């Protein structure tokens, strides 16, 4: 069966940046299972697996715009530390939820001084071209329930998703 929208795809992947630094891999643990066409995968990878089938292995380069998007300098802001009262253990790498004009957004603390905190609203992989090694392990049609719920069900069922 070829991968089309609403197909359940079980795959292994390894992703690295343009310098070849490994960012993530499923090869050392459970394969990833997704429903094609639901937007769970980044657009460039979802497009690349379309039409593939079980047993296919391939490499694909995904530009930043088709991965986690471009990086926007205006999403990096420095704010007075006093605005973060009540936040414990504030350090570089801490993820916070911020209320913006566009709604709730996750920001990451990238700098902390005595008086100020700098946060970045970009995805950590924004602006980075990615290279994927992919192995398609299995392809099947999603059940009506999986399509309705928007995620793959394990053999045990929905597992509270």
């Amino acid at each position: 069966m070829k991968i089309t929208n609403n197909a359940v795809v079980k795959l292994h992947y390894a992703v690295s940046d343009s310098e070849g630094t490994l960012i993530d891999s499923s090869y050392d643990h459970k394969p990833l299972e997704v429903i094609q066409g639901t937007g769970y995968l980044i657009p460039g990878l979802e497009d690349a697996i379309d039409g593939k089938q079980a047993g296919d292995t391939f490499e694909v380069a995904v530009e930043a715009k088709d991965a986690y998007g471009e990086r926007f300098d205006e999403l990096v802001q420095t704010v007075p530390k006093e605005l973060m009262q009540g936040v414990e253990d504030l350090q570089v790498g801490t993820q916070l939820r911020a209320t913006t004009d566009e709604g709730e957004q996750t920001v990451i603390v990238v700098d902390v001084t005595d008086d100020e905190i700098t946060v970045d609203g970009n995805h950590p992989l924004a602006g980075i071209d990615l290279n994927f090694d992919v192995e398609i392990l299995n392809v099947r049609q999603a059940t009506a329930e999986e399509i309705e719920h928007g995620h793959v069900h394990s053999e045990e069922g929905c597992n509270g998703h």
Side-chain angles (χ1 to χ4, degrees):
M1 173 179 177
K2 290 190 182 271
I3 298 171
T4 59
N5 280 348
N6 294 326
V8 171
V9 182
K10 182 188 274 190
L11 59 90
H12 269 306
Y13 69 91
V15 59
S16 57
D17 63 18
S18 55
E19 280 83 47
T21 303
L22 183 66
I23 296 170
D24 191 22
S25 174
S26 69
Y27 285 97
D28 293 334
H29 46 277
K30 259 174 73 171
L32 181 63
E33 286 188 278
V34 297
I35 299 175
Q36 176 73 347
T38 60
Y40 183 82
L41 297 176
I42 59 172
L45 185 55
E46 191 165 81
D47 289 347
I49 69 170
D50 201 56
K52 301 284 195 260
Q53 58 191 7
D56 287 349
T57 60
F58 61 96
E59 296 177 6
V60 61
V62 178
E63 293 182 17
K65 67 179 178 58
D66 295 321
Y68 293 95
E70 299 297 338
R71 185 165 177 72
F72 296 103
D73 290 338
E74 61 269 19
L75 294 179
V76 178
Q77 296 183 355
T78 301
V79 296
K81 200 171 190 177
E82 63 198 34
L83 290 179
M84 303 293 173
Q85 289 178 350
V87 178
E88 295 181 29
D89 196 27
L90 202 53
Q91 57 187 329
V92 172
T94 301
Q95 291 187 16
L96 304 169
R97 294 294 292 165
T99 303
T100 69
D101 293 339
E102 288 81 36
E104 291 286 312
Q105 178 180 344
T106 299
V107 297
I108 298 173
V109 176
V110 293
D111 191 36
V112 178
T113 66
D114 289 339
D115 300 323
E116 296 178 322
I117 296 169
T118 303
V119 295
D120 187 346
N122 288 290
H123 187 282
L125 297 177
I128 298 175
D129 295 335
L130 301 173
N131 297 305
F132 287 86
D133 290 314
V134 180
E135 178 183 2
I136 306 298
L137 301 172
N138 189 37
V139 181
R140 66 172 174 82
Q141 187 61 41
T143 66
E145 187 177 40
E146 288 172 321
I147 292 168
E148 180 184 338
H149 291 181
H151 61 263
V152 178
H153 293 178
S154 68
E155 293 176 6
E156 295 84 35
C158 193
N159 294 330
H161 287 276

